[in-house]
Amino acid sequence: MAASDVNALALDALDPQPVELLRLATAGSVDDGKSTLIGRLLYDSKQIFEDQLEHVVEVSRRRGDGHVNLALLTDGLRAEREQGITIDVAYRYFATPRRKFVLADCPGHVQYTRNMVTGCSTADVAVLLVDARNGVVEQSRRHAAIATLLAIPHLVVCVNKMDLVAYDEQRFAAITADFTAVARRLGARDLHFIPISALHGDNVVERSENTPWYEGPSLLELLETLPIARDRNLRELRFPVQWVIRPQDDAWHDYRGYAGQVASGVVRRGDEVVVLPAGIRTRVVAIDTADGEIDAAYPPLSVTVRLADDVDAARGDLIAHPDDQPQLARAFAATVCWMSEHPARERARYRLKHLARSTPARIDAIEHVLDVATLEHARGASELALNDIGRVRIRVAEPLPCDPYAANRATGAFILVDEQTGDTAAAGMIEQPLA
């Protein structure tokens, strides 16, 4: 039986209600029409308040756009409107009768790659735009590479501006073939293509009569039906301790609970567990929520776990099942997206944040930099500059309970912080624990 089938059966047993929340991130090159697509998606699905639409109509008129510019619904910053590009990650929330959505509108320009990494870090689906006239360009490969590195389970490629190529089926097929070749090389898991015109609404919410040769769903139909519940890892328990709750009052004098969000796996009352990195074994005696005790918890529930023994556990520790523990590592190989104006160099020191734990760290080696134009690994680099994506080896001061990012997005991710400025220097994904 496949792992996805195991997940589905486990979910059915735990939760008769289908998971309805889907997190998606959008990315596209400048002028690919990403903001227009999001505006069209919100407009055609009736997600815009009347006063919002009136404001956009008025601004469009004053700007002389000649049409209702739906991109203004998402380009909220003044600089974004002036430059016609998306700069910061903007989040939008909307819902249909079938599913709720959290949409991260990510900037597409190369100088804001770090913002895209931030917006995509928790996404279930990446919606990538390609201009039908330009085809797969360097930014398309960059976006595909980032989405794949971040292990986003589903990639949806919207070939936009089909109206400007007369809804040409052959043009769509050629772009699909080019992007598929790139995606296969990167190891993308689930790939979908949709021919759209965000400006006119073709195949965004409703299927278009202008593409009779396309038999697939519209973008919204696809987003409503992608099987994201099967993506959840219900096998290896990973419960990071966010907070130790000890009220120390007369009513709750002896209460001691460990609060956190289940990152993966299932924890049940009565389970034998191990607290890492100390390696202390104990047993779960209760699982508390705001609505009372429950018998089992699974991702992404936030709960408080009570243990049979007064173990010395603290914020940053991790609870797992003894027969399926993450590796305790003091060094690991990782892929990082560099986010700082100050380049990364070997022997440089940072503070590494992993789950709720923070520890001093050092870059031991820079192994290669990804050339997004060719997808080749350029070796011999002495530093990583802003927005570079590269493979490094990192050593930390304290052992971290971690997994490869490909196996677990929660315990395989980290950030590096510049201790002098407090700024985030890099987002990282562990490839392999080394020791």
Side-chain angles (χ1 to χ4, degrees), residues 208-257:
S208 173
E209 296 180 354
N210 293 317
T211 54
W213 41 266
Y214 173 70
E215 298 179 347
S218 70
L219 174 60
L220 184 60
E221 289 173 338
L222 181 62
L223 295 177
E224 286 181 320
T225 54
L226 280 172
I228 59 171
R230 294 172 182 269
D231 301 329
R232 288 195 286 173
N233 179 348
L234 297 177
R235 300 177 299 280
E236 299 89 13
L237 171 63
R238 302 290 185 262
F239 182 75
V241 176
Q242 294 284 342
W243 197 257
V244 180
I245 299 177
R246 297 188 64 191
Q248 295 184 333
D249 57 22
D250 291 340
W252 302 90
H253 184 77
D254 295 325
Y255 188 94
R256 185 184 183 92

Side-chain angles (χ1 to χ4, degrees), residues 36 40 56-57 59-61 64-72 199:
T36 302
R40 173 63 64 184
V56 169
V57 170
V59 174
S60 301
R61 186 191 62 78
D65 288 333
H67 62 279
V68 178
N69 188 348
L70 296 176
L72 298 175
L199 183 63

Side-chain angles (χ1 to χ4, degrees), residues 12 32 51 84 137 172 185 192 220 248 277 293 327 331 353 364 402:
D12 290 342
D32 275 357
D51 60 335
V137 297
F172 176 73
R185 192 171 175 185
H192 303 264
L220 184 60
Q248 295 184 333
E293 289 190 30
Q327 183 171 339
K353 291 190 176 181
D364 275 353
C402 59

Side-chain angles (χ1 to χ4, degrees), residues 154-185:
H154 310 279
L155 302 188
V156 179
V157 181
C158 289
V159 181
N160 192 24
K161 304 188 182 182
M162 288 297 298
D163 55 306
L164 298 183
V165 295
Y167 300 97
D168 183 6
E169 180 181 5
Q170 297 306 315
R171 182 59 183 157
F172 176 73
I175 293 173
T176 298
D178 288 347
F179 202 104
T180 299
V182 172
R184 284 179 177 168
R185 192 171 175 185

Side-chain angles (χ1 to χ4, degrees), residues 24-148:
L24 67 148
T26 59
S29 302
V30 175
D31 294 332
D32 275 357
K34 179 171 54 61
S35 296
T36 302
L37 171 62
I38 297 170
R40 173 63 64 184
L41 185 63
L42 298 176
Y43 177 75
D44 284 1
S45 59
K46 311 285 190 296
Q47 305 290 325
I48 302 172
F49 293 115
E50 189 172 332
D51 60 335
Q52 288 179 301
L53 183 59
E54 290 175 354
H55 175 70
V56 169
V57 170
E58 172 59 21
V59 174
S60 301
R61 186 191 62 78
R62 282 194 275 109
R63 288 162 46 104
D65 288 333
H67 62 279
V68 178
N69 188 348
L70 296 176
L72 298 175
L73 287 165
T74 57
D75 286 344
L77 299 177
R78 179 185 297 273
E80 290 177 330
R81 294 189 177 189
E82 290 176 348
Q83 298 179 47
I85 63 173
T86 302
I87 295 174
D88 202 357
V89 179
Y91 292 92
R92 297 289 183 273
Y93 309 90
F94 66 100
T96 68
R98 305 180 70 174
R99 188 167 271 174
K100 299 175 182 176
F101 300 91
V102 178
L103 186 154
D105 180 17
C106 303
H109 196 279
V110 61
Q111 74 184 92
Y112 303 118
T113 295
R114 53 183 169 177
N115 302 50
M116 180 188 169
V117 171
T118 302
C120 288
S121 60
T122 59
D124 303 301
V125 183
V127 177
L128 309 180
L129 267 76
V130 174
D131 189 320
R133 299 167 301 172
N134 302 326
V136 179
V137 297
E138 180 175 329
Q139 273 298 82
S140 308
R141 289 189 286 274
R142 177 181 289 271
H143 296 154
I146 293 173
T148 306

Side-chain angles (χ1 to χ4, degrees), residues 355-396:
L355 299 173
R357 182 177 292 273
S358 176
T359 182
R362 182 184 68 198
I363 296 177
D364 275 353
I366 298 174
E367 297 188 342
H368 66 241
V369 179
L370 175 67
D371 184 334
V372 296
T374 63
L375 302 182
E376 299 291 340
H377 295 159
R379 300 187 181 278
S382 59
E383 65 179 37
L384 293 175
L386 175 64
N387 292 319
D388 274 351
I389 297 171
R391 190 174 195 263
V392 299
R393 279 187 282 122
I394 292 178
R395 185 167 298 277
V396 291

